[in-house]
Amino acid sequence: MLNRRLRTLVVAALAVPFLGAVAVASQAAPTAAGAAPVLPAPTVDPADPTTGAHLRLGLRVSDRDAAPTRLEIDRGFASSLRGSGGPFQLVVRDAAGATLDTLVLDDPLAVRVYGGKQNAHDTPRVKEADVVVDLPVADTAAVVDVVLADRRIGRVEIGSLIGACQGAPLPCATS
């Protein structure tokens, strides 16, 4: 017969993997009904990482506006990291308005400042910020909605660029 400490240790050892599986399953559950799906970036072929193409989008962002500063298609896959949180979103839509892809990022106007005393920090906001991101290219993409704090602050038309650059040497940009 096992003593009480050994039984407790065995039960704890068996319960930890179960609790870990429950925690992972709860993170995989959707957080908001009707939220746009967060799609993973395409995988890169290790034999030729320059295959494929991505849309490089540069923006000048403020609280109320987002204006494009750079718009081009280049070789390779999109390298932007994908996350599930943050108030800044780029939503790629087709001509009918259906969501094709969503990129979620931290607030580009928030600047984290660390002080010298006890690692205190502050998060002041700047009036404008420049952002450059890479998005996967989809032939049916028409616009990118720029969303900050659940409010659309801009819309960038990308359909004509994608159409003009099909079959063209990369990098490709139109004026």
Side-chain angles (χ1 to χ4, degrees):
M1 178 181 249
L2 297 173
N3 66 25
R4 184 179 296 177
R5 283 186 183 170
L6 190 56
R7 276 192 305 224
T8 304
L9 183 62
V10 169
V11 169
L14 294 174
V16 168
F18 175 74
L19 294 175
V22 170
V24 169
S26 67
Q27 288 179 353
T31 56
V38 177
L39 303 174
T43 57
V44 175
D45 179 8
D48 187 8
T50 61
T51 58
H54 64 267
L55 172 73
R56 179 162 296 129
L57 175 61
L59 298 167
R60 166 84 29 113
V61 178
S62 70
D63 272 334
R64 302 191 185 285
D65 188 40
T69 58
R70 184 176 191 173
L71 192 59
E72 67 184 15
I73 296 178
D74 201 356
R75 280 184 212 85
F77 287 108
S79 60
S80 298
L81 298 175
R82 303 207 172 248
S84 60
F88 188 64
Q89 298 178 15
L90 300 172
V91 182
V92 181
R93 298 187 187 279
D94 65 10
T99 299
L100 300 175
D101 196 6
T102 301
L103 181 67
V104 181
L105 302 164
D106 290 332
D107 186 350
L109 301 175
V111 180
R112 183 164 288 173
V113 179
Y114 289 94
K117 295 183 179 180
Q118 300 173 346
N119 292 330
H121 71 274
D122 189 17
T123 311
R125 292 179 58 82
V126 294
K127 292 183 187 230
E128 287 186 334
D130 289 320
V131 177
V132 178
V133 295
D134 295 338
L135 298 167
V137 174
D139 293 340
T140 58
V143 296
V144 176
D145 284 335
V146 182
V147 178
L148 181 61
D150 296 328
R151 184 173 46 90
R152 188 175 80 187
I153 60 170
R155 176 172 270 194
V156 179
E157 195 278 326
I158 60 170
S160 59
L161 173 71
I162 292 171
C165 289
Q166 285 183 344
L170 298 178
C172 176
T174 59
S175 47

